[in-house]
Amino acid sequence: GAGVSQTPSNKVTEKGKYVELRCDPISGHTALYWYRQSLGQGPEFLIYFQGTGAADDSGLPNDRFFAVRPEGSVSTLKIQRTERGDSAVYLCASSFGLGADTQYFGPGTRLTVL
Amino acid sequence: TQLLEQSPQFLSIQEGENLTVYCNSSSVFSSLQWYRQEPGEGPVLLVTVVTGGEVKKLKRLTFQFGDARKDSSLHITAAQPGDTGLYLCAGALRSNDYKLSFGAGTTVTVRA
C-alpha cells in the first residue's frame, strides 16, 4: 500500500482483556512510532523503533503496554489487562530515517474498553 | 501537561472569512510543525518551520514561527469548507528529535 495501514480500525474489548494492535509502515521506512490520542487531545508519544529495536519506550504509560517489531517492518502494540482509561485512538507513524524526517501517520485504531 | 498550548480550542467561521490559530509554549523548540487531521484519519503534515521569525506560505495558509522559537501561528485567508478540520501544532525540542510534542488542537469549522 501507499500509506501506513493499521488494523483493526476499531476494537471493542472488555476490561481486563488482552488486545493487539497492528501497524504496517510505508515500505522502506526504517523508523516507526506509536502515539495515543485521547478524546479532545493531541497525539501523545508512546514508543519509537529504529529497525527492530525499541530506541525509546519512555512514553509507554506502564508495564501493561508492550510493542514489538521483530523483522523491522510490521509492528504490534500489545496491551494486557486493559482498563477503561486505555480507551483512545492509537496512531502509528513511520518515517524514512532518523530524527526529524517527516512522520506519516496511519488512520489509527480506535480502542474502546468497556 | 502539554508543552504546547493551542488557542482557540474551537473556531467556527463563514466561508470567505479569515482565521488565525495560535500555538504557544514556554519552551524553545528546534522546529515546529502544523498538521491537519480529519475525522477517522491520522494527522497530515502541512508545514515545518525551523528558523525564528520564519514565515511560510502554502496557498491560502500562512505559517509563522516566533522570533524566540516558542510560538507559532497559522493564518488562513478566505477560508473554504474544505479547510474544516482539526489543526495540530507539534514541536521537536532538539534538531534530531524524533519525539514530537503535540498541542491539543484547534477544531476549525468553515460554514458554506
Side-chain angles (χ1 to χ4, degrees), chain A residues 59-98:
Chain A
L60 295 178
N62 52 59
D63 61 6
R64 296 186 297 105
F65 289 74
F66 189 70
V68 296
R69 195 186 185 200
E71 298 178 359
S73 178
V74 170
S75 177
T76 304
L77 178 65
K78 308 180 180 192
I79 310 174
Q80 299 177 321
R81 304 183 304 280
T82 52
E83 299 177 358
R84 293 194 180 88
D86 298 336
S87 296
V89 175
Y90 289 81
L91 293 165
C92 176
S94 70
S95 66
F96 184 71
L98 296 171

PDB file of all heavy atoms in Angstrom, chain A residues 59-98:
ATOM      1  N   GLY A  59       7.504   6.694  26.579  1.00  0.00           N
ATOM      2  CA  GLY A  59       6.119   7.156  26.600  1.00  0.00           C
ATOM      3  C   GLY A  59       5.112   6.090  26.990  1.00  0.00           C
ATOM      4  O   GLY A  59       3.933   6.410  27.198  1.00  0.00           O
ATOM      5  N   LEU A  60       5.545   4.849  27.079  1.00  0.00           N
ATOM      6  CA  LEU A  60       4.608   3.788  27.482  1.00  0.00           C
ATOM      7  C   LEU A  60       4.152   4.061  28.913  1.00  0.00           C
ATOM      8  O   LEU A  60       4.981   4.235  29.804  1.00  0.00           O
ATOM      9  CB  LEU A  60       5.274   2.419  27.385  1.00  0.00           C
ATOM     10  CG  LEU A  60       5.662   1.956  25.987  1.00  0.00           C
ATOM     11  CD1 LEU A  60       6.354   0.603  26.044  1.00  0.00           C
ATOM     12  CD2 LEU A  60       4.439   1.895  25.074  1.00  0.00           C
ATOM     13  N   PRO A  61       2.842   4.092  29.141  1.00  0.00           N
ATOM     14  CA  PRO A  61       2.343   4.523  30.458  1.00  0.00           C
ATOM     15  C   PRO A  61       2.670   3.571  31.597  1.00  0.00           C
ATOM     16  O   PRO A  61       2.850   4.025  32.729  1.00  0.00           O
ATOM     17  CB  PRO A  61       0.826   4.629  30.252  1.00  0.00           C
ATOM     18  CG  PRO A  61       0.524   3.921  28.992  1.00  0.00           C
ATOM     19  CD  PRO A  61       1.748   3.862  28.176  1.00  0.00           C
ATOM     20  N   ASN A  62       2.753   2.285  31.357  1.00  0.00           N
ATOM     21  CA  ASN A  62       3.067   1.315  32.415  1.00  0.00           C
ATOM     22  C   ASN A  62       3.422  -0.021  31.768  1.00  0.00           C
ATOM     23  O   ASN A  62       3.435  -0.129  30.533  1.00  0.00           O
ATOM     24  CB  ASN A  62       1.876   1.166  33.376  1.00  0.00           C
ATOM     25  CG  ASN A  62       0.582   0.882  32.636  1.00  0.00           C
ATOM     26  OD1 ASN A  62       0.469  -0.107  31.911  1.00  0.00           O
ATOM     27  ND2 ASN A  62      -0.388   1.787  32.771  1.00  0.00           N
ATOM     28  N   ASP A  63       3.697  -1.014  32.593  1.00  0.00           N
ATOM     29  CA  ASP A  63       4.185  -2.292  32.045  1.00  0.00           C
ATOM     30  C   ASP A  63       3.079  -3.150  31.439  1.00  0.00           C
ATOM     31  O   ASP A  63       3.341  -4.277  31.001  1.00  0.00           O
ATOM     32  CB  ASP A  63       4.962  -3.083  33.110  1.00  0.00           C
ATOM     33  CG  ASP A  63       4.113  -3.431  34.317  1.00  0.00           C
ATOM     34  OD1 ASP A  63       2.887  -3.166  34.292  1.00  0.00           O
ATOM     35  OD2 ASP A  63       4.669  -3.955  35.284  1.00  0.00           O
ATOM     36  N   ARG A  64       1.859  -2.656  31.396  1.00  0.00           N
ATOM     37  CA  ARG A  64       0.819  -3.387  30.669  1.00  0.00           C
ATOM     38  C   ARG A  64       0.945  -3.192  29.161  1.00  0.00           C
ATOM     39  O   ARG A  64       0.356  -3.935  28.386  1.00  0.00           O
ATOM     40  CB  ARG A  64      -0.574  -2.935  31.137  1.00  0.00           C
ATOM     41  CG  ARG A  64      -0.890  -3.242  32.591  1.00  0.00           C
ATOM     42  CD  ARG A  64      -2.340  -2.898  32.920  1.00  0.00           C
ATOM     43  NE  ARG A  64      -2.631  -1.470  32.770  1.00  0.00           N
ATOM     44  CZ  ARG A  64      -3.316  -0.946  31.761  1.00  0.00           C
ATOM     45  NH1 ARG A  64      -3.795  -1.716  30.798  1.00  0.00           N
ATOM     46  NH2 ARG A  64      -3.527   0.358  31.713  1.00  0.00           N
ATOM     47  N   PHE A  65       1.709  -2.182  28.789  1.00  0.00           N
ATOM     48  CA  PHE A  65       1.881  -1.849  27.377  1.00  0.00           C
ATOM     49  C   PHE A  65       3.230  -2.372  26.891  1.00  0.00           C
ATOM     50  O   PHE A  65       4.256  -2.191  27.543  1.00  0.00           O
ATOM     51  CB  PHE A  65       1.846  -0.330  27.166  1.00  0.00           C
ATOM     52  CG  PHE A  65       0.487   0.274  27.344  1.00  0.00           C
ATOM     53  CD1 PHE A  65      -0.068   0.431  28.596  1.00  0.00           C
ATOM     54  CD2 PHE A  65      -0.235   0.706  26.232  1.00  0.00           C
ATOM     55  CE1 PHE A  65      -1.331   0.990  28.753  1.00  0.00           C
ATOM     56  CE2 PHE A  65      -1.493   1.269  26.382  1.00  0.00           C
ATOM     57  CZ  PHE A  65      -2.035   1.404  27.639  1.00  0.00           C
ATOM     58  N   PHE A  66       3.216  -2.996  25.705  1.00  0.00           N
ATOM     59  CA  PHE A  66       4.441  -3.529  25.131  1.00  0.00           C
ATOM     60  C   PHE A  66       4.307  -3.485  23.623  1.00  0.00           C
ATOM     61  O   PHE A  66       3.209  -3.640  23.090  1.00  0.00           O
ATOM     62  CB  PHE A  66       4.652  -4.978  25.606  1.00  0.00           C
ATOM     63  CG  PHE A  66       5.979  -5.546  25.258  1.00  0.00           C
ATOM     64  CD1 PHE A  66       7.128  -5.093  25.886  1.00  0.00           C
ATOM     65  CD2 PHE A  66       6.100  -6.536  24.288  1.00  0.00           C
ATOM     66  CE1 PHE A  66       8.366  -5.619  25.567  1.00  0.00           C
ATOM     67  CE2 PHE A  66       7.333  -7.061  23.959  1.00  0.00           C
ATOM     68  CZ  PHE A  66       8.471  -6.609  24.599  1.00  0.00           C
ATOM     69  N   ALA A  67       5.408  -3.244  22.926  1.00  0.00           N
ATOM     70  CA  ALA A  67       5.361  -3.226  21.468  1.00  0.00           C
ATOM     71  C   ALA A  67       6.551  -3.965  20.902  1.00  0.00           C
ATOM     72  O   ALA A  67       7.626  -3.974  21.506  1.00  0.00           O
ATOM     73  CB  ALA A  67       5.322  -1.790  20.938  1.00  0.00           C
ATOM     74  N   VAL A  68       6.350  -4.593  19.757  1.00  0.00           N
ATOM     75  CA  VAL A  68       7.418  -5.337  19.089  1.00  0.00           C
ATOM     76  C   VAL A  68       7.446  -4.995  17.616  1.00  0.00           C
ATOM     77  O   VAL A  68       6.442  -4.563  17.031  1.00  0.00           O
ATOM     78  CB  VAL A  68       7.239  -6.873  19.275  1.00  0.00           C
ATOM     79  CG1 VAL A  68       7.362  -7.249  20.740  1.00  0.00           C
ATOM     80  CG2 VAL A  68       5.900  -7.327  18.702  1.00  0.00           C
ATOM     81  N   ARG A  69       8.603  -5.235  17.021  1.00  0.00           N
ATOM     82  CA  ARG A  69       8.782  -5.052  15.576  1.00  0.00           C
ATOM     83  C   ARG A  69       9.853  -6.052  15.137  1.00  0.00           C
ATOM     84  O   ARG A  69      10.966  -5.674  14.807  1.00  0.00           O
ATOM     85  CB  ARG A  69       9.213  -3.605  15.281  1.00  0.00           C
ATOM     86  CG  ARG A  69       9.088  -3.212  13.827  1.00  0.00           C
ATOM     87  CD  ARG A  69       9.655  -1.824  13.581  1.00  0.00           C
ATOM     88  NE  ARG A  69       9.419  -1.399  12.213  1.00  0.00           N
ATOM     89  CZ  ARG A  69      10.122  -0.439  11.618  1.00  0.00           C
ATOM     90  NH1 ARG A  69      11.081   0.189  12.272  1.00  0.00           N
ATOM     91  NH2 ARG A  69       9.850  -0.100  10.388  1.00  0.00           N
ATOM     92  N   PRO A  70       9.536  -7.323  15.159  1.00  0.00           N
ATOM     93  CA  PRO A  70      10.533  -8.394  15.050  1.00  0.00           C
ATOM     94  C   PRO A  70      11.352  -8.410  13.762  1.00  0.00           C
ATOM     95  O   PRO A  70      12.513  -8.822  13.792  1.00  0.00           O
ATOM     96  CB  PRO A  70       9.703  -9.671  15.192  1.00  0.00           C
ATOM     97  CG  PRO A  70       8.309  -9.261  14.875  1.00  0.00           C
ATOM     98  CD  PRO A  70       8.175  -7.839  15.286  1.00  0.00           C
ATOM     99  N   GLU A  71      10.778  -7.978  12.651  1.00  0.00           N
ATOM    100  CA  GLU A  71      11.512  -8.027  11.394  1.00  0.00           C
ATOM    101  C   GLU A  71      11.786  -6.642  10.834  1.00  0.00           C
ATOM    102  O   GLU A  71      12.159  -6.509   9.660  1.00  0.00           O
ATOM    103  CB  GLU A  71      10.738  -8.886  10.379  1.00  0.00           C
ATOM    104  CG  GLU A  71      10.587 -10.336  10.842  1.00  0.00           C
ATOM    105  CD  GLU A  71       9.790 -11.185   9.871  1.00  0.00           C
ATOM    106  OE1 GLU A  71       9.338 -10.641   8.842  1.00  0.00           O
ATOM    107  OE2 GLU A  71       9.610 -12.380  10.151  1.00  0.00           O
ATOM    108  N   GLY A  72      11.586  -5.634  11.644  1.00  0.00           N
ATOM    109  CA  GLY A  72      11.899  -4.277  11.224  1.00  0.00           C
ATOM    110  C   GLY A  72      10.892  -3.659  10.282  1.00  0.00           C
ATOM    111  O   GLY A  72      11.159  -2.612   9.674  1.00  0.00           O
ATOM    112  N   SER A  73       9.709  -4.285  10.184  1.00  0.00           N
ATOM    113  CA  SER A  73       8.673  -3.716   9.334  1.00  0.00           C
ATOM    114  C   SER A  73       7.385  -3.572  10.142  1.00  0.00           C
ATOM    115  O   SER A  73       7.210  -2.578  10.835  1.00  0.00           O
ATOM    116  CB  SER A  73       8.457  -4.580   8.098  1.00  0.00           C
ATOM    117  OG  SER A  73       7.423  -4.050   7.294  1.00  0.00           O
ATOM    118  N   VAL A  74       6.543  -4.588  10.124  1.00  0.00           N
ATOM    119  CA  VAL A  74       5.275  -4.563  10.856  1.00  0.00           C
ATOM    120  C   VAL A  74       5.537  -4.482  12.357  1.00  0.00           C
ATOM    121  O   VAL A  74       6.480  -5.074  12.882  1.00  0.00           O
ATOM    122  CB  VAL A  74       4.454  -5.828  10.542  1.00  0.00           C
ATOM    123  CG1 VAL A  74       3.252  -5.947  11.453  1.00  0.00           C
ATOM    124  CG2 VAL A  74       4.032  -5.823   9.080  1.00  0.00           C
ATOM    125  N   SER A  75       4.698  -3.716  13.035  1.00  0.00           N
ATOM    126  CA  SER A  75       4.798  -3.598  14.488  1.00  0.00           C
ATOM    127  C   SER A  75       3.464  -3.941  15.122  1.00  0.00           C
ATOM    128  O   SER A  75       2.400  -3.713  14.529  1.00  0.00           O
ATOM    129  CB  SER A  75       5.213  -2.181  14.876  1.00  0.00           C
ATOM    130  OG  SER A  75       5.245  -2.024  16.293  1.00  0.00           O
ATOM    131  N   THR A  76       3.532  -4.483  16.334  1.00  0.00           N
ATOM    132  CA  THR A  76       2.325  -4.804  17.098  1.00  0.00           C
ATOM    133  C   THR A  76       2.430  -4.146  18.460  1.00  0.00           C
ATOM    134  O   THR A  76       3.440  -4.297  19.156  1.00  0.00           O
ATOM    135  CB  THR A  76       2.152  -6.323  17.276  1.00  0.00           C
ATOM    136  OG1 THR A  76       2.155  -6.959  16.004  1.00  0.00           O
ATOM    137  CG2 THR A  76       0.845  -6.630  17.991  1.00  0.00           C
ATOM    138  N   LEU A  77       1.397  -3.411  18.815  1.00  0.00           N
ATOM    139  CA  LEU A  77       1.288  -2.835  20.151  1.00  0.00           C
ATOM    140  C   LEU A  77       0.379  -3.752  20.958  1.00  0.00           C
ATOM    141  O   LEU A  77      -0.732  -4.061  20.541  1.00  0.00           O
ATOM    142  CB  LEU A  77       0.691  -1.424  20.088  1.00  0.00           C
ATOM    143  CG  LEU A  77       0.475  -0.701  21.432  1.00  0.00           C
ATOM    144  CD1 LEU A  77       1.806  -0.419  22.104  1.00  0.00           C
ATOM    145  CD2 LEU A  77      -0.286   0.611  21.203  1.00  0.00           C
ATOM    146  N   LYS A  78       0.856  -4.178  22.107  1.00  0.00           N
ATOM    147  CA  LYS A  78       0.125  -5.145  22.921  1.00  0.00           C
ATOM    148  C   LYS A  78      -0.252  -4.499  24.249  1.00  0.00           C
ATOM    149  O   LYS A  78       0.594  -3.880  24.895  1.00  0.00           O
ATOM    150  CB  LYS A  78       0.989  -6.379  23.164  1.00  0.00           C
ATOM    151  CG  LYS A  78       1.569  -6.969  21.885  1.00  0.00           C
ATOM    152  CD  LYS A  78       2.413  -8.197  22.149  1.00  0.00           C
ATOM    153  CE  LYS A  78       2.970  -8.739  20.828  1.00  0.00           C
ATOM    154  NZ  LYS A  78       3.552 -10.085  20.984  1.00  0.00           N
ATOM    155  N   ILE A  79      -1.486  -4.668  24.630  1.00  0.00           N
ATOM    156  CA  ILE A  79      -1.955  -4.114  25.895  1.00  0.00           C
ATOM    157  C   ILE A  79      -2.571  -5.247  26.712  1.00  0.00           C
ATOM    158  O   ILE A  79      -3.516  -5.897  26.274  1.00  0.00           O
ATOM    159  CB  ILE A  79      -3.000  -2.994  25.693  1.00  0.00           C
ATOM    160  CG1 ILE A  79      -2.487  -1.958  24.686  1.00  0.00           C
ATOM    161  CG2 ILE A  79      -3.305  -2.318  27.036  1.00  0.00           C
ATOM    162  CD1 ILE A  79      -3.510  -0.889  24.318  1.00  0.00           C
ATOM    163  N   GLN A  80      -2.019  -5.469  27.888  1.00  0.00           N
ATOM    164  CA  GLN A  80      -2.525  -6.513  28.779  1.00  0.00           C
ATOM    165  C   GLN A  80      -3.484  -5.908  29.797  1.00  0.00           C
ATOM    166  O   GLN A  80      -3.377  -4.728  30.141  1.00  0.00           O
ATOM    167  CB  GLN A  80      -1.360  -7.172  29.519  1.00  0.00           C
ATOM    168  CG  GLN A  80      -0.360  -7.851  28.620  1.00  0.00           C
ATOM    169  CD  GLN A  80       0.818  -8.423  29.403  1.00  0.00           C
ATOM    170  OE1 GLN A  80       1.287  -7.821  30.346  1.00  0.00           O
ATOM    171  NE2 GLN A  80       1.260  -9.603  29.013  1.00  0.00           N
ATOM    172  N   ARG A  81      -4.394  -6.729  30.279  1.00  0.00           N
ATOM    173  CA  ARG A  81      -5.310  -6.332  31.378  1.00  0.00           C
ATOM    174  C   ARG A  81      -5.854  -4.919  31.131  1.00  0.00           C
ATOM    175  O   ARG A  81      -5.675  -4.012  31.942  1.00  0.00           O
ATOM    176  CB  ARG A  81      -4.578  -6.399  32.713  1.00  0.00           C
ATOM    177  CG  ARG A  81      -3.970  -7.753  32.991  1.00  0.00           C
ATOM    178  CD  ARG A  81      -3.312  -7.815  34.371  1.00  0.00           C
ATOM    179  NE  ARG A  81      -2.307  -6.785  34.573  1.00  0.00           N
ATOM    180  CZ  ARG A  81      -1.068  -6.837  34.122  1.00  0.00           C
ATOM    181  NH1 ARG A  81      -0.664  -7.882  33.397  1.00  0.00           N
ATOM    182  NH2 ARG A  81      -0.216  -5.867  34.374  1.00  0.00           N
ATOM    183  N   THR A  82      -6.513  -4.767  29.981  1.00  0.00           N
ATOM    184  CA  THR A  82      -6.976  -3.440  29.589  1.00  0.00           C
ATOM    185  C   THR A  82      -7.854  -2.796  30.653  1.00  0.00           C
ATOM    186  O   THR A  82      -8.611  -3.475  31.379  1.00  0.00           O
ATOM    187  CB  THR A  82      -7.755  -3.494  28.269  1.00  0.00           C
ATOM    188  OG1 THR A  82      -8.788  -4.495  28.372  1.00  0.00           O
ATOM    189  CG2 THR A  82      -6.846  -3.824  27.103  1.00  0.00           C
ATOM    190  N   GLU A  83      -7.752  -1.464  30.723  1.00  0.00           N
ATOM    191  CA  GLU A  83      -8.549  -0.658  31.642  1.00  0.00           C
ATOM    192  C   GLU A  83      -9.344   0.358  30.826  1.00  0.00           C
ATOM    193  O   GLU A  83      -8.983   0.686  29.692  1.00  0.00           O
ATOM    194  CB  GLU A  83      -7.624   0.067  32.632  1.00  0.00           C
ATOM    195  CG  GLU A  83      -6.808  -0.877  33.489  1.00  0.00           C
ATOM    196  CD  GLU A  83      -5.845  -0.144  34.418  1.00  0.00           C
ATOM    197  OE1 GLU A  83      -5.797   1.112  34.346  1.00  0.00           O
ATOM    198  OE2 GLU A  83      -5.172  -0.814  35.213  1.00  0.00           O
ATOM    199  N   ARG A  84     -10.428   0.867  31.432  1.00  0.00           N
ATOM    200  CA  ARG A  84     -11.281   1.817  30.708  1.00  0.00           C
ATOM    201  C   ARG A  84     -10.487   3.039  30.279  1.00  0.00           C
ATOM    202  O   ARG A  84     -10.724   3.628  29.229  1.00  0.00           O
ATOM    203  CB  ARG A  84     -12.485   2.195  31.557  1.00  0.00           C
ATOM    204  CG  ARG A  84     -13.427   1.021  31.757  1.00  0.00           C
ATOM    205  CD  ARG A  84     -14.780   1.425  32.300  1.00  0.00           C
ATOM    206  NE  ARG A  84     -15.628   0.246  32.456  1.00  0.00           N
ATOM    207  CZ  ARG A  84     -15.663  -0.510  33.538  1.00  0.00           C
ATOM    208  NH1 ARG A  84     -14.926  -0.203  34.595  1.00  0.00           N
ATOM    209  NH2 ARG A  84     -16.446  -1.575  33.589  1.00  0.00           N
ATOM    210  N   GLY A  85      -9.495   3.430  31.061  1.00  0.00           N
ATOM    211  CA  GLY A  85      -8.659   4.576  30.729  1.00  0.00           C
ATOM    212  C   GLY A  85      -7.758   4.365  29.525  1.00  0.00           C
ATOM    213  O   GLY A  85      -7.147   5.326  29.037  1.00  0.00           O
ATOM    214  N   ASP A  86      -7.673   3.127  29.048  1.00  0.00           N
ATOM    215  CA  ASP A  86      -6.867   2.857  27.846  1.00  0.00           C
ATOM    216  C   ASP A  86      -7.628   3.210  26.579  1.00  0.00           C
ATOM    217  O   ASP A  86      -7.050   3.214  25.484  1.00  0.00           O
ATOM    218  CB  ASP A  86      -6.483   1.372  27.786  1.00  0.00           C
ATOM    219  CG  ASP A  86      -5.625   0.927  28.961  1.00  0.00           C
ATOM    220  OD1 ASP A  86      -4.958   1.792  29.562  1.00  0.00           O
ATOM    221  OD2 ASP A  86      -5.643  -0.271  29.281  1.00  0.00           O
ATOM    222  N   SER A  87      -8.902   3.500  26.698  1.00  0.00           N
ATOM    223  CA  SER A  87      -9.712   3.847  25.532  1.00  0.00           C
ATOM    224  C   SER A  87      -9.169   5.108  24.875  1.00  0.00           C
ATOM    225  O   SER A  87      -8.994   6.136  25.535  1.00  0.00           O
ATOM    226  CB  SER A  87     -11.172   4.074  25.936  1.00  0.00           C
ATOM    227  OG  SER A  87     -11.753   2.881  26.448  1.00  0.00           O
ATOM    228  N   ALA A  88      -8.871   5.005  23.594  1.00  0.00           N
ATOM    229  CA  ALA A  88      -8.268   6.110  22.845  1.00  0.00           C
ATOM    230  C   ALA A  88      -8.093   5.655  21.403  1.00  0.00           C
ATOM    231  O   ALA A  88      -8.353   4.494  21.075  1.00  0.00           O
ATOM    232  CB  ALA A  88      -6.904   6.483  23.428  1.00  0.00           C
ATOM    233  N   VAL A  89      -7.617   6.570  20.564  1.00  0.00           N
ATOM    234  CA  VAL A  89      -7.191   6.197  19.218  1.00  0.00           C
ATOM    235  C   VAL A  89      -5.680   5.998  19.255  1.00  0.00           C
ATOM    236  O   VAL A  89      -4.945   6.887  19.699  1.00  0.00           O
ATOM    237  CB  VAL A  89      -7.556   7.279  18.190  1.00  0.00           C
ATOM    238  CG1 VAL A  89      -6.978   6.922  16.821  1.00  0.00           C
ATOM    239  CG2 VAL A  89      -9.068   7.437  18.096  1.00  0.00           C
ATOM    240  N   TYR A  90      -5.246   4.847  18.830  1.00  0.00           N
ATOM    241  CA  TYR A  90      -3.821   4.534  18.795  1.00  0.00           C
ATOM    242  C   TYR A  90      -3.319   4.737  17.367  1.00  0.00           C
ATOM    243  O   TYR A  90      -3.750   4.063  16.440  1.00  0.00           O
ATOM    244  CB  TYR A  90      -3.570   3.113  19.294  1.00  0.00           C
ATOM    245  CG  TYR A  90      -3.800   3.015  20.783  1.00  0.00           C
ATOM    246  CD1 TYR A  90      -5.097   2.881  21.290  1.00  0.00           C
ATOM    247  CD2 TYR A  90      -2.738   3.119  21.675  1.00  0.00           C
ATOM    248  CE1 TYR A  90      -5.314   2.840  22.659  1.00  0.00           C
ATOM    249  CE2 TYR A  90      -2.956   3.071  23.045  1.00  0.00           C
ATOM    250  CZ  TYR A  90      -4.248   2.934  23.528  1.00  0.00           C
ATOM    251  OH  TYR A  90      -4.463   2.901  24.888  1.00  0.00           O
ATOM    252  N   LEU A  91      -2.401   5.695  17.227  1.00  0.00           N
ATOM    253  CA  LEU A  91      -1.873   6.071  15.918  1.00  0.00           C
ATOM    254  C   LEU A  91      -0.474   5.504  15.721  1.00  0.00           C
ATOM    255  O   LEU A  91       0.343   5.507  16.647  1.00  0.00           O
ATOM    256  CB  LEU A  91      -1.798   7.600  15.802  1.00  0.00           C
ATOM    257  CG  LEU A  91      -3.118   8.362  15.785  1.00  0.00           C
ATOM    258  CD1 LEU A  91      -2.872   9.851  16.041  1.00  0.00           C
ATOM    259  CD2 LEU A  91      -3.838   8.176  14.473  1.00  0.00           C
ATOM    260  N   CYS A  92      -0.220   5.056  14.523  1.00  0.00           N
ATOM    261  CA  CYS A  92       1.119   4.607  14.146  1.00  0.00           C
ATOM    262  C   CYS A  92       1.630   5.553  13.066  1.00  0.00           C
ATOM    263  O   CYS A  92       0.847   6.040  12.227  1.00  0.00           O
ATOM    264  CB  CYS A  92       1.045   3.183  13.619  1.00  0.00           C
ATOM    265  SG  CYS A  92       2.609   2.535  13.000  1.00  0.00           S
ATOM    266  N   ALA A  93       2.912   5.826  13.087  1.00  0.00           N
ATOM    267  CA  ALA A  93       3.533   6.657  12.054  1.00  0.00           C
ATOM    268  C   ALA A  93       4.854   6.025  11.647  1.00  0.00           C
ATOM    269  O   ALA A  93       5.458   5.283  12.431  1.00  0.00           O
ATOM    270  CB  ALA A  93       3.760   8.080  12.557  1.00  0.00           C
ATOM    271  N   SER A  94       5.285   6.310  10.444  1.00  0.00           N
ATOM    272  CA  SER A  94       6.607   5.841  10.023  1.00  0.00           C
ATOM    273  C   SER A  94       7.333   6.963   9.309  1.00  0.00           C
ATOM    274  O   SER A  94       6.715   7.903   8.794  1.00  0.00           O
ATOM    275  CB  SER A  94       6.502   4.595   9.125  1.00  0.00           C
ATOM    276  OG  SER A  94       5.948   4.899   7.857  1.00  0.00           O
ATOM    277  N   SER A  95       8.656   6.867   9.307  1.00  0.00           N
ATOM    278  CA  SER A  95       9.461   7.840   8.582  1.00  0.00           C
ATOM    279  C   SER A  95      10.634   7.127   7.941  1.00  0.00           C
ATOM    280  O   SER A  95      11.023   6.036   8.359  1.00  0.00           O
ATOM    281  CB  SER A  95       9.948   8.967   9.497  1.00  0.00           C
ATOM    282  OG  SER A  95      10.854   8.480  10.469  1.00  0.00           O
ATOM    283  N   PHE A  96      11.215   7.779   6.927  1.00  0.00           N
ATOM    284  CA  PHE A  96      12.266   7.124   6.151  1.00  0.00           C
ATOM    285  C   PHE A  96      13.495   6.846   7.009  1.00  0.00           C
ATOM    286  O   PHE A  96      14.111   5.793   6.905  1.00  0.00           O
ATOM    287  CB  PHE A  96      12.638   8.002   4.956  1.00  0.00           C
ATOM    288  CG  PHE A  96      13.645   7.374   4.047  1.00  0.00           C
ATOM    289  CD1 PHE A  96      13.296   6.297   3.242  1.00  0.00           C
ATOM    290  CD2 PHE A  96      14.952   7.826   4.012  1.00  0.00           C
ATOM    291  CE1 PHE A  96      14.225   5.700   2.409  1.00  0.00           C
ATOM    292  CE2 PHE A  96      15.886   7.236   3.181  1.00  0.00           C
ATOM    293  CZ  PHE A  96      15.531   6.178   2.374  1.00  0.00           C
ATOM    294  N   GLY A  97      13.860   7.818   7.832  1.00  0.00           N
ATOM    295  CA  GLY A  97      15.076   7.639   8.621  1.00  0.00           C
ATOM    296  C   GLY A  97      14.925   8.203  10.006  1.00  0.00           C
ATOM    297  O   GLY A  97      13.852   8.253  10.573  1.00  0.00           O
ATOM    298  N   LEU A  98      16.049   8.645  10.525  1.00  0.00           N
ATOM    299  CA  LEU A  98      16.097   9.072  11.908  1.00  0.00           C
ATOM    300  C   LEU A  98      15.683  10.527  12.064  1.00  0.00           C
ATOM    301  O   LEU A  98      15.534  11.254  11.100  1.00  0.00           O
ATOM    302  CB  LEU A  98      17.525   8.911  12.434  1.00  0.00           C
ATOM    303  CG  LEU A  98      18.078   7.502  12.499  1.00  0.00           C
ATOM    304  CD1 LEU A  98      19.563   7.551  12.823  1.00  0.00           C
ATOM    305  CD2 LEU A  98      17.323   6.706  13.535  1.00  0.00           C
TER     306      LEU A  98
END
